[in-house]
Amino acid sequence: MAIDNQPVNAPETSVTFINIFDIAAEQVGAFVTRWEQRAALLRTKPGFLDSRLHRARSSQTRFQLVNVSHWESQEAWEAATADTEFQERTRAAREDPQTPITSSPGLYDVAAEFSV
């Protein structure tokens, strides 16, 4: 558990990348297919631990998709996402007029933790 609002994980430990996607429910399927291709590329990069894309159960939910990925370090994540091919695929997804999307990416440390 966090004490004095300090992250549970120190900066030199693993990092969590979270990206929420504001996308129309009817566009989710097409977006997921392309997301899987980008994730497969990142999976090959040093420092990658895991990634899960969560889909809202309701089509009325504002954020239809939430990506949660874990990396060994911020430096590993930065190196992986600097990859030219990944950058090109990400740019194409953002600029695709067929599936308009707004994303809100960020790196996070654990602030509080509870378990059984």
Side-chain angles (χ1 to χ4, degrees):
M1 171 138 16
I3 298 176
D4 297 328
N5 293 324
Q6 295 300 312
V8 172
N9 295 329
E12 65 272 10
T13 62
S14 67
V15 66
T16 301
F17 172 75
I18 300 174
N19 196 356
I20 58 173
F21 299 98
D22 191 352
I23 184 171
E26 61 271 8
Q27 300 298 324
V28 168
F31 180 82
V32 168
T33 299
R34 289 190 311 278
W35 180 90
E36 289 173 328
Q37 294 167 352
R38 291 187 302 276
L41 176 62
L42 289 182
R43 180 180 182 202
T44 67
K45 302 299 181 187
F48 174 86
L49 298 175
D50 62 50
S51 187
R52 290 185 175 157
L53 185 64
H54 304 265
R55 183 177 186 163
R57 287 187 168 201
S58 169
S59 63
Q60 302 303 309
T61 302
R62 177 177 177 189
F63 301 112
Q64 286 293 300
L65 297 168
V66 177
N67 173 34
V68 180
S69 301
H70 297 99
W71 291 83
E72 288 179 358
S73 67
Q74 181 171 342
E75 294 76 19
W77 176 83
E78 289 171 348
T81 58
D83 177 85
T84 304
E85 185 177 355
F86 177 76
Q87 288 290 323
E88 289 172 4
R89 290 181 184 188
T90 301
R91 184 175 29 263
R94 278 193 316 265
E95 296 173 357
D96 183 355
Q98 305 255 346
T99 54
I101 189 166
T102 301
S103 66
S104 298
L107 292 174
Y108 295 84
D109 292 313
V110 176
E113 188 172 74
F114 301 91
S115 60
V116 177

